[in-house]
Amino acid sequence: MSIRAIILSGGRSNRFGGVHKPAVELGGATVISRILSAVRTAAPAAEVWVAGPCDGLSEAEQESVHSVVEEPAFAGPLAGIAAVCAAVRDASSAAPAGVTLVLAGDMPLITADHLGDLIEACQRTGAPAAGTDDRGKTQFLCAAWPTHLLLSRLDDIGDPTNGAVKWLFSGLEPSLVDVEPGVVTDFDTAEDLDRIHTRIDDDASSTGEAASTQ
């Protein structure tokens, strides 16, 4: 079954001083590059779309993805998802995808293992699959969808401008996938980013210590 991934990068980043969050560098790689790498590891043949600016991706990475900007710009993540789906529908050469990943562009700790779990759960249950964050809330912006169901929900919603992604889940029971909440952590402020920096540094230190004992 083929996989499509949508990385949402079209926000204003108002709470982050207007700095484009997906292009922020962490541990030698930008946030959006980290997310793309996780997608490529989980599903090497995935068709990847960026909804919004591709800033933060290298030239080679940009050439490996498709991109689209929602109309009007800054109309929200639901509009970004809809823009990708509309572009795919309009492209006669686009291969059908069985599963579509919907991923926020400000989640640098997303892992290939978690994405693989989401894809597997979605394929097995025929329902959208997602994990929960540190508040126990469903993380709508790191989810795997049966593509036909995602398209149907967008049709039901109609105009997506400034709409909430949680509208897609209205009346549906998502398949919940176990995940360590930090994996689906996003950041809106400098303090949030500092916490993610600390986690990455701690993980790198633990990896180095493990390697030195072998």
Side-chain angles (χ1 to χ4, degrees):
M1 183 178 290
S2 61
I3 309 297
R4 179 174 294 121
I6 301 172
I7 302 175
L8 300 164
S9 72
R12 294 180 185 273
S13 301
N14 286 335
R15 293 176 61 193
F16 201 66
V19 175
H20 186 59
K21 291 188 291 182
V24 170
E25 187 170 307
L26 285 166
T30 64
V31 172
I32 193 171
S33 183
R34 284 173 170 273
I35 296 168
L36 178 61
S37 177
V39 172
R40 294 293 189 212
T41 302
E47 176 187 290
V48 181
W49 285 75
V50 175
C54 287
D55 299 357
L57 294 177
S58 69
E59 184 175 342
E61 288 172 331
Q62 290 187 35
E63 291 175 354
S64 76
V65 304
H66 307 274
S67 64
V68 67
V69 177
E70 68 274 15
E71 290 288 344
F74 306 117
L78 184 63
I81 297 167
V84 170
C85 290
V88 170
R89 281 171 159 167
D90 290 343
S92 60
S93 61
V99 172
T100 297
L101 290 167
V102 174
L103 307 171
D106 61 353
M107 291 186 180
L109 301 179
I110 289 174
T111 66
D113 285 345
H114 182 50
L115 297 183
D117 289 344
L118 292 175
I119 292 167
E120 188 278 330
C122 180
Q123 292 174 330
R124 174 170 44 81
T125 65
T132 55
D133 61 19
D134 55 3
R135 298 169 297 169
K137 302 290 187 181
T138 302
Q139 181 47 270
F140 299 122
L141 286 174
C142 184
W145 279 84
T147 299
H148 70 89
L149 180 57
L150 177 61
L151 296 176
S152 175
R153 293 298 299 129
L154 287 168
D155 288 342
D156 290 343
I157 290 169
D159 183 5
T161 304
N162 298 321
V165 172
K166 67 180 180 181
W167 293 356
L168 292 170
F169 291 78
S170 179
L172 300 177
E173 195 67 40
S175 176
L176 294 180
V177 174
D178 287 337
V179 61
E180 196 278 304
V183 169
V184 292
T185 295
D186 60 8
F187 66 97
D188 290 314
T189 66
E191 291 76 17
D192 294 338
L193 186 62
D194 286 342
R195 285 191 287 271
I196 291 173
H197 262 298
T198 298
R199 177 171 177 135
I200 289 173
D201 291 343
D202 289 347
D203 288 347
S205 177
S206 296
T207 300
E209 289 174 2
S212 67
T213 61
Q214 295 178 356

